[in-house]
Amino acid sequence: MARQFILKIFVIFIIDGGIRDENDCLVPAHAQSWTKSPQFLVYDLSVVDANNTLQKIHEALFPDIHVVASMSQRHMTDLLKTVDSFDIMTRGMTDFRHHSKWLLLPEERNRIELHLMYLENVVVLRHHKCWIHNVFTLRHQSTRTELVPVADCTSRTTMSCYFPNVAYGYNNRHLLVAVLEESTLYILKSIDNGTTHYKGYAIDILDTIANVLNFSYSITEPQDKSWGLPVNETYDGIVGQLNRTEVDLAACDLTITEDRAKFIDYIYPPISTEYFDALYKKHDKQRSTSLYLLALPLRPTMFLVLFLMTGLCPLLLALFESVDIFLHRTPAEPEDESLCYLMKVKKNLFRACWDVTGSLFRQGFSKYPAALPGKVLVTSWWMLLMVVTTLYCANLVAALSAQTDDKPFVDLDGLVDSDYSVGLRPNGITRHILKTNDTSSVYGRLWSKIDVNDLMFFGNELEIHLKRVRREKYAILEYRSMLHKLMADDCQLELLGERVMFTQLAFGLPKGSPLKADLERIMSQISAIGLLGRLWEKWSVTRNQTHCPQNRILKSITVNQIGGGFIIACAGTALSIIVLCLEKLAHFMKR
């Protein structure tokens, strides 16, 4: 059973030279034949260097490193001491501590003593020939480690029985984490009684991963207060700390770029997707002070429609009211009555113009039409005016009490061409990206506008930029989520509303860090269950609509809005003409 256990689980065999007894079931004499088996890699420490061997083992099998070591106790103790400090020697670029499992087969029968500080998973088998006498596993105490006998494994899996520390993950391993406070949404720093505290969206994610993997951490900040900008073919700031393996992890809103990826590794999926936007304050006067306020509620097409209808309606009404001279003429009356008809049309036209003009201001007619065609025409005309005057009065009231939404610019090109200055905090990668763009592109022109600005924009304090936004024509580029937080309680601030730059933000690791596989596994899990979204909702801020209600916007009346009334007016006019024709026909047939 012991031999089957070894062949199934462990794939590395380390010996210290010499010929084994052929009757030894665990260590056959023909060890060199195992090199032809895909299940085994055999290393003889009598002919190879231990450090190089460990590095090759880590590269070949990480993250599942299973090792069988068969040698004298003295050599075994030296080997385990080397392995125990190997991760420190590689500055955290290997992880034998948590990802390696060691099965030790000492040649002597006396109990082996191991003084290990970091290795978690070690099992010692005291055996003779084909018989296993005792099995010991490593247990860490607060100040020391000891080998304790393995209890009966009938009710547990073999792995959890022989390697109980696997259940404790990283077993309270301590990591050094780099952060930088720029957006209080991701990292919020506070000092209380001399103690620095950090919280925010990124810290909540870090705490979640730390709880799952069971590690502790301490936080540091780069001395140059930079995220990471190119300097002499390398990077400064947090990216430089990761590249020099000075920290184990960067748990902050680190922008993913292709150039940075050559020096550090990112943890995927990203913690968020962000867009840059511009925050500014409108300094335009309200349109409610315009001398043309009475004309604002109407579009030019509306003036044309009303002008045509106002001219056509009195003419038709005068014709309809004067046509009765033909309907009631008797044979005894003179045949030549054109002059009389024209005089009556002129008289009716003057009164109709006055009545139609008065009806525009919601006044009634001084004399209602006597003929049926005139009554139909006036009815349809009044229905049209009811629609127009109601909308006009409503929009006129809105114009007197509401501010119109006249933006100084509507897109990035408009901002670049406007008289607004533009600022940007300097310590992020965004400045470098804008600076390296073609000067003829919109981003290149934007950088030219920023570059010629005064030295105020080089300040890294967001409050300095915000004060300048409030007092002058100045816009600041920043993450949209951060701008929403800044404008939450300030109703005078506005967003450009254009996605200026697309960025993804993620945690960072040193290049080739052994932590990457575990951290990405947990990050994928918390993203899949929607925890990232819930944490984002916890920290993101939107404008308080109760405190800052939306501006009531003046919207001019269009022809489409009065389309129904216009159709009724046209139909009424057509119907009145038809009625006139019918009356004329009936009178002719009667004669």
Side-chain angles (χ1 to χ4, degrees):
M1 291 298 294
R3 182 172 183 173
Q4 293 176 357
F5 169 76
I6 295 172
L7 290 177
K8 184 177 180 180
I9 298 179
F10 294 90
V11 296
I12 297 294
F13 207 102
I14 296 180
I15 60 177
D16 60 347
I19 301 298
R20 299 293 187 262
D21 188 353
E22 292 186 0
N23 295 324
D24 194 329
C25 300
L26 293 178
V27 190
H30 302 289
Q32 63 271 17
S33 64
W34 293 351
T35 58
K36 300 179 182 180
S37 172
Q39 289 181 302
F40 286 91
L41 295 174
V42 180
Y43 294 92
D44 190 342
L45 294 183
S46 64
V47 295
V48 296
D49 179 70
N51 289 333
N52 291 336
T53 300
L54 294 176
Q55 188 66 46
K56 291 179 181 179
I57 291 174
H58 194 278
E59 293 174 358
L61 296 179
F62 186 84
D64 297 316
I65 306 172
H66 301 148
V67 182
V68 177
S70 176
M71 57 186 65
S72 65
Q73 290 190 10
R74 180 176 63 85
H75 290 162
M76 188 173 293
T77 302
D78 294 339
L79 174 63
L80 267 294
K81 286 182 179 180
T82 302
V83 177
D84 193 50
S85 60
F86 193 76
D87 293 341
I88 299 177
M89 185 186 70
T90 60
R91 306 183 69 173
M93 301 310 294
T94 59
D95 193 1
F96 280 100
R97 176 178 180 178
H98 303 288
H99 286 277
S100 67
K101 298 177 179 63
W102 294 80
L103 180 60
L104 306 181
L105 308 175
E107 295 178 351
E108 293 81 356
R109 298 186 182 182
N110 54 318
R111 183 167 180 173
I112 186 174
E113 295 292 337
L114 296 177
H115 300 283
L116 305 176
M117 294 297 297
Y118 301 106
L119 282 180
E120 300 283 352
N121 305 303
V122 178
V123 171
V124 178
L125 267 66
R126 293 179 58 191
H127 66 94
H128 180 64
K129 301 298 181 181
C130 296
W131 298 96
I132 298 177
H133 296 280
N134 301 100
V135 180
F136 297 89
T137 188
L138 190 66
R139 182 175 67 181
H140 284 274
Q141 301 292 343
S142 58
T143 58
R144 61 187 178 86
T145 58
E146 62 179 353
L147 290 171
V148 296
V150 175
D152 185 14
C153 297
T154 55
S155 60
R156 293 179 293 172
T157 63
T158 303
M159 194 65 68
S160 63
C161 178
Y162 285 95
F163 302 102
N165 291 327
V166 172
Y168 301 102
Y170 281 0
N171 206 358
N172 201 32
R173 175 180 176 178
H174 191 79
L175 301 181
L176 183 60
V177 179
V179 302
L180 186 59
E181 181 191 25
E182 179 175 347
S183 168
T184 54
L185 172 65
Y186 293 91
I187 301 292
L188 180 60
K189 179 181 177 181
S190 61
I191 301 177
D192 185 15
N193 295 327
T195 303
T196 304
H197 301 278
Y198 295 90
K199 60 182 180 179
Y201 173 61
I203 299 299
D204 282 355
I205 297 176
L206 176 62
D207 289 338
T208 301
I209 298 176
N211 290 333
V212 175
L213 292 179
N214 189 23
F215 66 81
S216 59
Y217 64 87
S218 57
I219 291 180
T220 184
E221 297 185 40
Q223 294 183 355
D224 53 10
K225 301 299 180 181
S226 172
W227 293 97
L229 297 175
V231 177
N232 298 327
E233 299 183 355
T234 184
Y235 275 81
D236 61 5
I238 290 181
V239 177
Q241 287 182 309
L242 292 173
N243 186 42
R244 296 186 298 270
T245 64
E246 296 175 356
V247 295
D248 300 304
L249 170 67
C252 51
D253 45 323
L254 202 61
T255 302
I256 299 177
T257 66
E258 184 178 354
D259 292 336
R260 282 179 173 177
K262 299 176 183 178
F263 295 86
I264 64 173
D265 284 335
Y266 291 102
I267 300 175
Y268 295 98
I271 60 173
S272 69
T273 298
E274 284 278 11
Y275 295 91
F276 272 81
D277 208 333
L279 181 71
Y280 67 96
K281 178 182 177 182
K282 293 190 297 184
H283 296 275
D284 296 336
K285 294 183 179 180
Q286 304 234 353
R287 283 178 57 184
S288 58
T289 60
S290 173
L291 297 177
Y292 304 98
L293 179 63
L294 292 178
L296 289 179
L298 297 176
R299 291 284 181 90
T301 53
M302 281 298 303
F303 285 104
L304 178 62
V305 169
L306 290 178
F307 177 78
L308 294 176
M309 294 296 295
T310 305
L312 180 63
C313 186
L315 178 61
L316 292 176
L317 185 59
L319 292 175
F320 293 161
E321 287 298 291
S322 303
V323 77
D324 61 344
I325 192 173
F326 299 104
L327 298 178
H328 302 289
R329 183 176 61 85
T330 62
E333 294 177 351
E335 294 291 337
D336 189 6
E337 55 187 11
S338 299
L339 183 60
C340 181
Y341 177 72
L342 290 177
M343 294 297 295
K344 190 171 184 179
V345 169
K346 181 179 179 181
K347 179 181 178 181
N348 289 335
L349 181 62
F350 178 78
R351 188 179 71 247
C353 289
W354 181 257
D355 288 342
V356 169
T357 304
S359 67
L360 289 174
F361 299 95
R362 307 181 73 173
Q363 300 296 322
F365 277 51
S366 60
K367 183 180 179 180
Y368 293 107
L372 181 60
K375 293 178 180 180
V376 174
L377 178 64
V378 170
T379 301
S380 61
W381 171 250
W382 278 350
M383 295 185 69
L384 172 63
L385 290 183
M386 286 176 60
V387 176
V388 174
T389 55
T390 301
L391 289 175
Y392 178 84
C393 292
N395 280 265
L396 183 60
V397 172
L400 294 172
S401 59
Q403 178 183 1
T404 57
D405 190 23
D406 281 342
K407 293 185 176 182
F409 33 76
V410 295
D411 54 18
L412 189 58
D413 283 312
L415 173 61
V416 173
D417 297 333
S418 70
D419 57 347
Y420 275 69
S421 301
V422 183
L424 174 68
R425 291 196 287 175
N427 66 344
I429 197 66
T430 308
R431 177 190 172 199
H432 176 72
I433 295 175
L434 291 176
K435 188 176 181 179
T436 55
N437 268 272
D438 183 12
T439 55
S440 61
S441 66
V442 63
Y443 287 158
R445 292 165 54 215
L446 178 62
W447 171 251
S448 299
K449 193 176 185 70
I450 295 174
D451 195 30
V452 298
N453 199 0
D454 58 49
L455 295 179
M456 180 70 73
F457 94 98
F458 284 107
N460 194 42
E461 293 295 332
L462 191 58
E463 189 62 30
I464 298 177
H465 295 267
L466 190 58
K467 289 179 179 178
R468 192 175 180 189
V469 168
R470 290 187 173 120
R471 71 171 182 261
E472 61 182 274
K473 290 187 176 182
Y474 179 78
I476 178 177
L477 290 178
E478 186 55 76
Y479 291 144
R480 180 176 291 185
S481 59
M482 188 60 193
L483 296 181
H484 279 298
K485 190 172 183 178
L486 292 176
M487 61 185 293
D489 297 321
D490 192 336
C491 305
Q492 295 180 331
L493 301 180
E494 296 289 339
L495 284 179
L496 175 63
E498 182 173 348
R499 296 177 174 181
V500 178
M501 293 182 62
F502 167 80
T503 58
Q504 287 186 311
L505 310 178
F507 288 179
L509 290 169
K511 197 71 174 178
S513 172
L515 300 174
K516 182 177 175 64
D518 290 331
L519 295 182
E520 284 194 338
R521 174 173 55 85
I522 303 303
M523 186 70 77
S524 298
Q525 292 175 358
I526 64 178
S527 176
I529 65 176
L531 183 57
L532 286 181
R534 292 194 293 272
L535 293 177
W536 180 261
E537 292 177 358
K538 171 184 174 183
W539 289 100
S540 60
V541 179
T542 57
R543 172 166 283 181
N544 187 347
Q545 296 299 334
T546 303
H547 176 71
C548 295
Q550 292 183 349
N551 291 332
R552 290 167 291 177
I553 306 303
L554 171 63
K555 296 182 179 179
S556 301
I557 302 173
T558 63
V559 176
N560 292 333
Q561 291 179 288
I562 64 164
F566 185 71
I567 292 174
I568 292 176
C570 293
T573 302
L575 181 60
S576 64
I577 295 175
I578 293 174
V579 171
L580 175 64
C581 294
L582 292 176
E583 285 187 347
K584 188 69 174 177
L585 179 62
H587 181 73
F588 177 78
M589 294 180 65
K590 183 179 179 180
R591 291 181 59 186

